[in-house]
Amino acid sequence: DSGVTQTPKHLITATGQRVTLRCSPRSGDLSVYWYQQSLDQGLQFLIQYYNGEERAKGNILERFSAQQFPDLHSELNLSSLELGDSALYFCASSVGEDRVSPLHFGNGTRLTVT
Amino acid sequence: AQSVAQPEDQVNVAEGNPLTVKCTYSVSGNPYLFWYVQYPNRGLQFLLKYITGDNLVKGSYGFEAEFNKSQTSFHLKKPSALVSDSALYFCAVRDWRLTGGGNKLTFGTGTQLKVEL
């Protein structure tokens, strides 16, 4: 068990809808990362937060947004969903922003858009 | 940008035989390299990392990795494979010079390891 908790585990929704994915990092970790995993794109970095502040942005669509709250949990909001957004979404956390600390991953949220 | 490549989509090995999963990297500056394993319907689990120092890095579950600067490689190895090692393995590099001061791990495409009896 990595200590990173993601809810829900599965989400099935229709095109055009909006969903929120939630992540609780490991106790003591200040950095949160979001990744998308799909068969055709592999593991894609979306966004990173550190202690409530956005620090790095990857291939995140404008329809997607995220935030990290004062209690350090994070939410990823996906709106105007399309079939192509179906994927496994992972949250990861690390202690800080140093180069050496590994990321610890949650078990992911599997999103299916129908 | 930092990147890693995993040239093999799948590696098959018999139980008890040594295994190698290949990874090459392309970085500017010193590399910070990681290996992760993913079991079906699970998140990625950290196996080991190379930061500096010894070229042979030991990690979890009997895995080790050999860093080779001249060949820009960081291959994952295990002396004796187990059926339970069958999983998807990812090599990753730390990309820490991002606008805004942030960082991320950039992953390879993954290698499916299949260990057979």
Side-chain angles (χ1 to χ4, degrees):
Chain A
D1 182 12
S2 69
V4 178
T5 304
Q6 288 187 250
T7 58
K9 291 183 181 179
H10 302 276
L11 204 46
I12 301 174
T13 189
T15 54
Q17 294 299 304
R18 172 189 169 95
V19 297
T20 298
L21 281 52
R22 183 188 168 99
C23 168
S24 294
R26 289 191 324 163
S27 177
D29 284 0
L30 298 178
S31 271
V32 168
Y33 309 74
W34 286 97
Y35 282 82
Q36 180 194 57
Q37 185 179 33
S38 60
L39 283 176
D40 54 341
Q41 299 274 349
L43 268 165
Q44 295 289 316
F45 168 72
L46 296 177
I47 200 163
Q48 179 225 346
Y49 282 84
Y50 174 77
N51 204 20
E53 288 189 14
E54 181 184 307
R55 301 285 281 177
K57 229 170 180 176
N59 300 324
I60 187 167
L61 301 170
E62 286 192 11
R63 301 184 284 109
F64 296 0
S65 65
Q67 59 183 126
Q68 186 180 27
F69 294 86
D71 67 351
L72 301 177
H73 91 271
S74 178
E75 293 180 357
L76 179 66
N77 299 296
L78 315 176
S79 62
S80 303
L81 285 168
E82 302 174 359
L83 295 177
D85 297 327
S86 296
L88 199 48
Y89 290 85
F90 286 111
C91 169
S93 70
S94 67
V95 172
E97 291 195 294
D98 60 276
R99 309 169 205 176
V100 304
S101 298
L103 272 58
H104 298 275
F105 283 78
N107 285 333
T109 293
R110 183 172 294 281
L111 174 66
T112 303
V113 182
T114 62
Chain B
Q2 325 283 59
S3 66
V4 290
Q6 294 181 243
E8 302 157 318
D9 289 338
Q10 181 160 322
V11 169
N12 297 322
V13 65
E15 188 174 52
N17 283 0
L19 69 86
T20 298
V21 182
K22 295 180 181 176
C23 173
T24 58
Y25 65 88
S26 173
V27 304
S28 54
N30 294 324
Y32 296 84
L33 299 163
F34 300 76
W35 274 102
Y36 282 79
V37 59
Q38 184 180 24
Y39 296 97
N41 300 314
R42 300 298 299 273
L44 281 72
Q45 294 178 34
F46 168 69
L47 282 178
L48 51 79
K49 65 183 178 185
Y50 173 82
I51 305 303
T52 187
D54 288 341
N55 289 339
L56 188 64
V57 179
K58 293 194 182 296
S60 306
Y61 313 120
F63 283 94
E64 56 192 27
E66 186 172 9
F67 174 75
N68 187 315
K69 188 173 182 178
S70 63
Q71 298 185 2
T72 62
S73 67
F74 186 54
H75 298 334
L76 182 70
K77 298 172 185 276
K78 188 174 183 183
S80 178
L82 298 172
V83 171
S84 57
D85 293 329
S86 298
L88 187 57
Y89 290 81
F90 289 96
C91 180
V93 62
R94 199 57 162 269
D95 198 346
W96 54 275
R97 298 172 185 170
L98 302 178
T99 304
N103 75 97
K104 64 179 180 179
L105 282 183
T106 297
F107 288 88
T109 51
T111 298
Q112 186 70 48
L113 173 67
K114 188 173 182 182
V115 181
E116 298 164 312
L117 289 170

